[in-house]
Amino acid sequence: MIIENAEVVLKSHRLCNHCLGRLFARLGRGTNDERGMAIRFVLNMERSAKGLPPIEEPETCELCGNIFDKIPELVEDMKKEAEGIEFETFLVGSRFPGEVRKREEAIWREFGVETAEPINREFNRELGKAFGLATGKDTAKNPDLVFIVEPYSRKVELQINPLYIYGRYRKLLRGIPQTPLPDFEDSVASIICRAFSRVSGGKCVFKGAGREDVDVRMLGNGRPFIVEIKRPKRRRLDLDSIAKEINASGKVEVLNLRFVSPKDAGEVLTRNHRKEYLALVRVDEGVTPEEAERIARELGGLEVHQRTPWRVRKARADRVRVKRVHEAEARWLDENHFELRLVTDGGLYIKELISGDKGRTKPSVSDLLGKSAWCERLDVLNILDD
């Protein structure tokens, strides 16, 4: 039936071997070109036995216009487009004119073809194979590069997929914002991104898993972050060397740099971490060692209802968040100061937990103490993974 059906089609349409074989793409193995060549060969043997002339492959295919013959030229176009860009994996997509797809589907309907595949699918596959052979690169589901080719106009659109790097940063000095702000020379993001942009040749976007205030240090195991490098020209980055360059700033240190997938990057940024803090609490009315110890006992396990702090109300939705203090330890320093080491849910504002923020945080250290207290100095000691 395959040979009979092919003969009926070829009597009405001048098709190349690619387009003939593609009508029967779901049958057997091999390329469509090989399949079409075999079908035409057997068909012409049968026609010869009947004394009929052969149906040769036409000089110009009425369906595709011999576009598959242009693949070597398109490979060169793709190589030129990717010149100077470091990559190991790629994918190929194509945009075919609507009239070509309509002609193909009309043939399917005319002859009731149910075993075909679309022309763009075969073209992508064959162009991808040819480009891989010419460059030694491999195809992949999550490639470094994606080529979108318009075969007839020879337009090649290149998509360079981003790189994602996970790490943790320590901010060693106060007075440095996490992201650039007016009147600040540097930020955590700019210090980190300068090194990545210079080495990769791409645009670096910094994304922290939470943030600390400008006057707060980030110590201990560091805050998780993701660096997204858009349109990198170089992908084989020496992360140890980049870390050394960043750490030499004396302001920010990075730890545990490694490449991650887009999915893993998203999970890092959405995961909720408990945090360990060290706060220096000032009480102008005076505080005793016994009061400091009592505050720590009462804070441990405490549920806190915290309305969005007054100082960040313009940047955060105004709502009440319920958070918990999991651990609290106190160390009395002098009649006006004591230290609090706290382990809390992520998203609990520590400065407001101490001051009360004019009643927006309940309960607070000020409430429990019965005296006004505020945070004179704050450090994030650790970001605790679940």
Side-chain angles (χ1 to χ4, degrees):
M1 293 298 294
I2 294 174
I3 302 303
E4 292 175 7
N5 291 341
E7 185 173 28
V8 172
V9 172
L10 291 178
K11 284 180 178 179
S12 302
H13 300 281
R14 295 174 290 105
L15 301 181
C16 67
N17 287 335
H18 280 278
C19 293
L20 172 60
R22 197 167 58 254
L23 294 175
F24 306 96
R26 298 183 191 176
L27 305 175
R29 296 183 178 181
T31 68
N32 287 328
D33 186 36
E34 293 168 343
R35 186 177 290 108
M37 190 181 304
I39 291 171
R40 195 182 301 271
F41 179 78
V42 174
L43 169 61
N44 285 334
M45 286 180 65
E46 291 188 357
R47 287 177 64 84
S48 177
K50 297 174 185 177
L52 298 173
I55 303 178
E56 303 290 357
E57 187 173 19
E59 186 174 330
T60 302
C61 176
E62 71 175 60
L63 174 54
C64 76
N66 298 359
I67 195 60
F68 289 89
D69 294 342
K70 302 292 184 182
I71 283 179
E73 298 173 28
L74 290 168
V75 166
E76 293 304 313
D77 293 341
M78 292 164 65
K79 287 166 63 178
K80 184 176 180 181
E81 191 68 26
E83 191 173 346
I85 298 171
E86 194 174 83
F87 70 102
E88 295 300 327
T89 58
F90 71 96
L91 276 182
V92 174
S94 59
R95 296 192 187 102
F96 271 77
E99 57 267 24
V100 174
R101 296 296 302 274
K102 287 178 182 178
R103 285 200 302 268
E104 179 174 63
E105 291 169 4
I107 292 175
W108 296 352
R109 288 193 301 271
E110 182 181 356
F111 298 99
V113 176
E114 297 181 353
T115 55
E117 73 169 342
I119 186 171
N120 61 308
R121 189 177 300 171
E122 180 190 7
F123 188 83
N124 295 348
R125 184 171 60 248
E126 296 303 318
L127 181 56
K129 286 194 296 187
F131 184 77
L133 286 172
T135 60
K137 308 300 182 181
D138 295 320
T139 57
K141 289 184 178 179
N142 297 302
D144 299 334
L145 302 185
V146 177
F147 295 90
I148 305 298
V149 178
E150 295 181 9
Y152 296 95
S153 67
R154 289 182 58 176
K155 179 181 177 182
V156 177
E157 179 182 313
L158 179 61
Q159 174 185 314
I160 306 174
N161 284 339
L163 283 173
Y164 295 90
I165 296 98
Y166 163 88
R168 300 177 84 106
Y169 76 81
R170 290 199 286 242
K171 188 175 83 176
L172 307 178
L173 303 177
R174 305 184 196 281
I176 302 175
Q178 188 190 74
T179 52
L181 288 175
D183 302 324
F184 288 90
E185 179 182 353
D186 263 328
S187 67
V188 172
S190 62
I191 292 169
I192 291 174
C193 278
R194 269 198 298 269
F196 277 103
S197 294
R198 183 184 62 78
V199 173
S200 69
K203 179 182 178 182
C204 174
V205 179
F206 175 92
K207 303 172 185 178
R211 62 194 305 138
E212 67 284 330
D213 290 340
V214 170
D215 59 345
V216 175
R217 293 186 299 176
M218 176 66 244
L219 305 175
N221 64 354
R223 184 181 297 280
F225 70 91
I226 294 293
V227 162
E228 179 185 359
I229 304 176
K230 298 178 181 290
R231 296 187 65 82
K233 293 183 178 179
R234 291 173 292 281
R235 307 183 81 90
R236 293 191 289 269
L237 308 183
D238 184 342
L239 298 183
D240 289 340
S241 176
I242 292 173
K244 287 178 182 178
E245 179 178 339
I246 294 168
N247 297 349
S249 70
K251 301 176 181 179
V252 174
E253 288 182 352
V254 292
L255 315 167
N256 306 332
L257 294 182
R258 68 174 187 267
F259 295 101
V260 295
S261 68
K263 179 182 177 183
D264 289 342
E267 290 176 354
V268 167
L269 297 173
T270 55
R271 191 178 300 137
N272 196 11
H273 301 269
R274 291 184 183 184
K275 298 178 176 66
E276 181 182 8
Y277 297 91
L278 184 65
L280 176 62
V281 181
R282 180 181 178 90
V283 185
D284 281 347
E285 296 175 52
V287 63
T288 66
E290 293 76 18
E291 286 176 315
E293 289 296 331
R294 178 177 62 82
I295 291 299
R297 287 195 304 272
E298 294 180 2
L299 281 174
L302 188 68
E303 186 177 86
V304 179
H305 293 250
Q306 189 166 62
R307 187 175 176 186
T308 301
W310 186 256
R311 64 189 171 90
V312 298
R313 68 194 185 280
K314 294 181 179 179
R316 300 284 187 273
D318 188 11
R319 61 186 179 88
V320 175
R321 298 166 176 83
V322 180
K323 302 290 182 179
R324 187 172 296 277
V325 179
H326 296 280
E327 299 177 22
E329 295 178 359
R331 186 169 75 94
W332 185 82
L333 299 177
D334 59 43
E335 62 182 14
N336 295 114
H337 296 90
F338 68 98
E339 284 183 341
L340 272 178
R341 187 193 71 83
L342 302 167
V343 176
T344 75
D345 285 340
L348 178 59
Y349 292 90
I350 302 303
K351 293 176 180 177
E352 284 70 24
L353 173 66
I354 294 170
S355 71
D357 197 24
K358 299 181 179 179
R360 295 170 76 89
T361 295
K362 290 184 175 294
S364 66
V365 170
S366 292
D367 291 335
L368 299 175
L369 194 58
K371 307 173 188 178
S372 294
W374 72 89
C375 183
E376 195 166 87
R377 188 177 68 232
L378 182 63
D379 291 325
V380 185
L381 297 184
N382 285 296
I383 308 292
L384 305 174
D385 295 322
D386 295 335

